[in-house]
Each structure stands twice: as structure tokens, then as C-alpha cells.
């Protein structure tokens, strides 16, 4: 088409202006590629570690779900084996594991201390296949199943001043509220993320004794073929209608707090970054395209006098901006992908102290890696072209509204 050829010719006719505009798009798409890949890596890493530890889907008693912030141990699943049998028979379920978590006061000397930590009790399969505890060992070994063994998080060990072989006392409560002590020797210290650093790990039987919950569990963690919503929604629906689960609540990881709030916040941060970079790029493109319209006023008037309609005049500048946007985006994504690849390979080390200050609600690692994917590249290219079109829109509307007689009379 004639006006498309004209747009391509105009793109090549002023190489300096074209390169300046394309350079703006290049910088924007390169920055977008790096930031989107890094955010994807941060969020993806947290979600991966969180769902490995907390399950893709969680089953708790309805009463526990209603008062979860109080962590009522007495609202447990008393017959955990029956629930596990029912869950594992549901199509799509890959695995199901019982777990108990409760708070304890820990001491490493004869005096009762005041150091608080979260104790997790689970099966060896859970620890090795899902939590991957042995892979996070900083010292010692993992639980062997023998009595009087405990693995502690790095921060817990540091606060206690304890090391391998140290005998510690864990003072907790039964589900009925009475004091319950457990004594064990530290056989391993784990680290790697903020959540593991603040926990203590015992065999399930030990924590069942500690909480006076024989054969019971506080929650049943369910694992599906993946953690995406499209993979989990059929499993959640099947579990809610399955027989043998009794009075329980079934929820996927993204359907409960803190993820309900955090995911929205993360989406908001990502959206703000995209908007801000696109705005800056569009403003720069608006400036250069406005100069182009001023320089070509007479030419546009002649084309209008020869019969070019307003929509075609508008399209002339928009297609030109798309060409420039694609050119800048292609080189910008190539440059940004190189930076994202570096962050994906080597990561950014936040440091143990920074991670500790972020709290233990999420498994944030000391070194965070980017995640460069095809969807990230496609998003950056698309946003680069969108920025080009938005920046050229007002100048293009101005060009399409030029009256032929006035343009030629002005001899521009």
C-alpha cells in the first residue's frame, strides 16, 4: 500500500531522528526486559519455595480456618490417616503429607530461655521430597528418624549460641493448653531462605507427642502436577466434593493469605514500573514526532490536496512509529536479554542481614535470580511498540488535521 511505503520511506529519510527515537525505545525495552525478568525471578522463586513447603493445596478443619490467626491446636484433623487415604484417591493428586506447626520456647542451657521459634513436624518423605531439607544443610546432617534429633535454622542456632551436638529444650503446649517439653540434640543446621532460618524441624511423631495429637495433624498438604491455577482448580473442586474429608476447608495456595494480599501488591508494583517506563518513552517519542510533523507540514498538505484522507494521514505517522518501535524494541530486547541472562546466571546477593530484616513469612533467599522467559521478551516488545504508538498519537492527529490550502499557503 502507498501510505505504508511512504511511512517506511519517511522512517529511512531522516536517519538521525529515527535513530534518536528508536534509541529511546531501545532504552525503555532494555530496562523493561531486565526489570520484568528480575521481578519474575523474585516472585517465582518465592512462590516455588513457598508452595514446596506449604503445599499446592491445603486441607484444614473448618474451625481452624475460621480462627487461623490464633493457631488453635485443638482444631486439628484428628484422623489424619483417613483424610490422607481419601485425598490420595482423588484424580490429579500427586502426593499428600500431614504436617503440624506450633510455636515453642527454646533454650540451650539450664535456664528456661525466652527465644521463640516455629517447630515443624512432618514425615521424612515431606522433608526430603518437598521441603528438600538435606539440600539446605549448612552444617551436619538431616534427621535419621532416631529419637532425640532436631534440625534447627541458622538464625535460631545463632541466637541460641548453639552448634552441632548441643542439647536444647523445646517448651511447647499440648492442644489442651498444658506445658509440654521435648529435649533433643542438634544434628543439623539449615539455611538458604528467611523461612528455613527461623524454624526448627522434628519428626512428625515427636511433634504429635509434643502437642498431644496422636495420629493427628494440623493440616494436610496436597501436591498436584503443578502450582498454576489451571492445574489446581480441578483438584480443589474434586477435593471439596470428595467423601471422607469430613468438616474441612480446601484452598489452593493463592486462595489464602498472605498471598491474596501479596499477589495483588506484586502485580501493582509490576504495573507501575511498566507504566512509568512507557510514559517516559512516550514523552520522548512525542517530542521527536512533533518535530517531524512541523518539518513536513507542506508535504502533508500536498498529499492531502492529492486526495489522501485524514485516516490515511493519521495511519502514515502511526505506521512510521510502529516501524521505529519495532526497530528499537528488537535491539532493546537483545540488550535487555543479555542483562537478564547475567542476573539469571549470577543473581543479586541481598545478604543474610537484609533477608533477616524482611521477616520469615516468605522464603526469600539471600541471592535472588532473574527468570528470563519468552513471555517476558514478548511483553517488553509489545510495550515498546505501545509506547511508540502512544507517543506518536497526538502528533499524528495534528498531522491528519492539517488543511491542504493553509499548509501550502504557509509553504512549509
Amino acid at each position: 500500500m502507498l501510505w505504508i511505503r511512504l511511512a517506511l520511506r519517511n522512517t529511512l529519510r531522516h536517519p538521525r531522528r529515527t535513530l534518536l527515537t528508536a534509541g529511546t525505545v531501545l532504552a525503555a525495552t532494555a530496562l523493561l526486559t531486565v526489570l520484568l525478568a528480575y521481578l519474575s525471578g523474585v516472585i517465582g522463586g518465592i512462590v516455588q519455595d513457598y508452595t514446596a513447603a506449604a503445599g499446592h493445596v491445603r486441607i484444614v478443619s473448618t474451625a481452624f480456618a475460621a480462627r487461623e490467626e490464633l493457631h488453635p491446636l485443638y482444631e486439628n484433623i484428628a484422623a489424619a490417616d483417613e483424610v490422607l487415604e481419601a485425598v490420595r484417591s482423588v484424580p490429579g493428586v500427586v502426593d499428600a503429607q500431614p504436617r503440624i506447626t506450633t510455636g515453642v520456647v527454646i533454650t540451650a542451657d539450664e535456664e528456661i530461655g525466652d527465644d521463640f521459634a516455629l517447630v515443624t513436624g512432618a514425615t521424612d518423605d515431606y522433608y526430603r521430597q518437598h521441603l528438600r531439607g538435606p539440600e539446605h544443610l549448612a552444617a551436619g546432617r538431616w534427621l535419621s528418624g532416631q529419637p532425640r534429633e532436631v534440625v534447627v535454622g541458622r538464625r535460631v542456632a545463632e541466637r541460641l549460641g548453639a552448634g552441632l551436638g548441643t542439647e536444647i529444650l523445646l517448651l511447647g503446649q499440648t492442644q489442651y493448653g498444658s506445658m509440654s517439653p521435648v529435649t533433643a540434640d542438634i544434628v543439623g543446621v539449615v539455611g538458604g531462605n528467611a523461612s528455613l532460618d527461623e524454624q526448627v524441624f522434628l519428626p512428625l511423631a515427636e511433634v504429635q507427642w509434643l502437642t498431644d495429637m496422636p495420629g493427628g495433624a494440623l493440616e494436610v498438604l496436597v501436591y498436584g502436577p503443578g502450582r498454576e491455577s489451571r492445574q489446581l482448580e480441578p483438584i480443589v473442586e474434586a477435593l471439596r466434593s470428595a467423601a471422607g474429608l469430613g468438616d474441612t476447608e480446601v484452598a489452593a495456595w493463592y486462595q489464602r493469605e498472605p498471598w491474596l494480599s501479596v499477589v495483588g501488591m506484586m502485580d501493582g508494583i509490576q504495573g507501575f514500573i511498566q507504566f512509568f517506563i512507557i510514559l517516559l518513552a512516550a514523552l520522548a517519542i512525542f517530542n521527536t514526532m512533533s518535530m517531524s510533523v512541523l518539518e513536513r507540514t507542506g508535504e502533508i498538505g500536498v498529499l492531502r490536496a492529492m486526495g489522501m484522507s485524514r485516516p490515511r494521514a493519521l495511519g502514515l505517522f502511526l505506521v512510521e512509529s510502529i516501524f521505529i518501535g519495532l526497530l528499537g524494541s528488537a535491539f532493546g530486547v537483545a540488550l535487555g536479554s543479555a542483562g537478564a541472562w547475567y542476573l539469571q546466571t549470577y543473581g543479586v546477593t541481598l545478604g543474610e542481614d537484609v533477608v533477616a530484616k524482611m521477616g520469615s513469612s516468605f522464603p526469600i533467599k539471600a541471592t535472588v535470580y532473574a527468570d528470563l522467559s519468552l513471555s517476558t521478551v514478548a511483553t517488553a516488545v509489545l510495550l515498546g511498540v505501545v509506547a511508540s504508538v502512544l507517543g506518536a498519537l497526538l502528533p499524528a492527529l495534528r498531522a491528519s488535521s492539517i488543511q491542504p490550502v493553509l499548509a501550502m499557503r504557509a509553504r512549509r
Side-chain angles (χ1 to χ4, degrees):
M1 300 175 68
L2 176 61
W3 56 284
I4 294 181
R5 291 200 299 271
L6 286 173
L8 182 59
R9 186 202 67 178
N10 291 331
T11 302
L12 301 175
R13 187 171 60 176
H14 299 283
R16 292 181 63 182
R17 185 172 60 226
T18 297
L19 289 176
L20 177 63
T21 309
T24 303
V25 179
L26 183 152
T29 52
L31 186 58
L32 271 173
T33 302
V34 173
L35 289 178
L36 292 178
Y38 188 68
L39 280 175
S40 178
V42 172
I43 298 171
I46 293 174
V47 170
Q48 180 179 2
D49 289 344
Y50 177 83
T51 54
H56 297 154
V57 179
R58 187 189 67 166
I59 300 175
V60 296
S61 70
T62 303
F64 179 87
R67 294 186 292 276
E68 185 171 358
E69 65 278 2
L70 301 177
H71 208 73
L73 293 176
Y74 52 87
E75 303 291 5
N76 56 71
I77 300 173
D81 288 342
E82 296 179 7
V83 172
L84 288 168
E85 184 179 356
V87 168
R88 288 168 178 161
S89 65
V90 172
V93 171
V94 175
D95 192 18
Q97 294 291 335
R99 188 176 72 163
I100 301 173
T101 56
T102 183
V104 294
V105 175
I106 308 178
T107 183
D109 52 37
E110 296 181 358
E111 298 290 333
I112 299 298
D114 57 358
D115 191 75
F116 180 84
L118 185 69
V119 170
T120 295
T123 66
D124 190 59
D125 286 343
Y126 167 81
Y127 283 139
R128 296 182 182 276
Q129 296 179 17
H130 301 294
L131 190 66
R132 298 189 181 278
E135 298 177 14
H136 295 285
L137 282 169
R141 59 174 176 82
W142 194 255
L143 302 171
S144 66
Q146 298 299 316
R148 289 183 54 85
E149 290 184 349
V150 64
V151 171
V152 301
R154 182 183 302 163
R155 291 286 173 181
V156 176
E158 290 176 356
R159 291 197 301 269
L160 292 173
L164 298 178
T166 302
E167 182 183 76
I168 62 174
L169 172 68
L170 293 81
L171 187 62
Q173 285 187 330
T174 69
Q175 63 171 309
Y176 306 109
S178 59
M179 303 296 286
S180 179
V182 167
T183 303
D185 299 322
I186 297 176
V187 297
V189 178
V190 291
N193 65 56
S195 180
L196 290 176
D197 287 352
E198 296 290 344
Q199 291 192 58
V200 176
F201 303 94
L202 287 170
L204 178 62
E206 291 285 338
V207 182
Q208 286 176 330
W209 184 90
L210 178 74
T211 57
D212 197 9
M213 205 181 295
L218 206 58
E219 53 193 351
V220 170
L221 309 180
V222 183
Y223 297 88
R227 60 176 183 267
E228 301 296 330
S229 58
R230 57 181 175 80
Q231 298 170 308
L232 296 179
E233 285 175 1
I235 296 176
V236 170
E237 294 302 318
L239 287 170
R240 287 173 177 170
S241 59
L245 295 187
D247 189 15
T248 59
E249 179 175 291
V250 180
W253 65 271
Y254 52 83
Q255 295 174 328
R256 61 183 194 266
E257 293 292 351
W259 286 103
L260 284 175
S261 302
V262 172
V263 170
M265 181 183 69
M266 292 293 186
D267 290 341
I269 293 174
Q270 184 169 312
F272 175 78
I273 290 174
Q274 293 174 358
F275 171 79
F276 183 72
I277 294 177
I278 289 175
L279 179 63
L280 292 180
L283 288 174
I285 294 166
F286 169 80
N287 184 50
T288 55
M289 293 301 289
S290 295
M291 293 169 55
S292 176
V293 170
L294 289 174
E295 292 176 2
R296 292 155 54 188
T297 301
E299 176 187 331
I300 296 167
V302 172
L303 292 173
R304 291 291 312 281
M306 294 175 62
M308 177 175 280
S309 64
R310 290 188 63 179
R312 288 196 173 188
L314 176 66
L316 180 67
F317 282 87
L318 291 182
V319 171
E320 183 178 342
S321 71
I322 291 174
F323 286 153
I324 295 173
L326 288 174
L327 176 66
S329 296
F331 285 97
V333 163
L335 180 62
S337 295
W341 174 85
Y342 178 86
L343 293 177
Q344 182 171 277
T345 304
Y346 300 101
V348 175
T349 301
L350 304 177
E352 298 290 345
D353 293 336
V354 174
V355 171
K357 292 177 182 178
M358 293 181 179
S360 58
S361 298
F362 297 101
I364 302 174
K365 296 180 179 178
T367 301
V368 182
Y369 297 88
D371 181 17
L372 181 62
S373 63
L374 184 60
S375 62
T376 298
V377 171
T379 299
V381 171
L382 177 62
L383 292 177
V385 174
V386 168
S388 300
V389 173
L390 289 177
L393 185 58
L394 287 179
L397 288 171
R398 179 181 177 182
S400 67
S401 65
I402 292 175
Q403 297 299 320
V405 174
L406 294 177
M408 289 185 290
R409 183 182 298 171
R411 296 181 181 179
R412 298 292 299 274

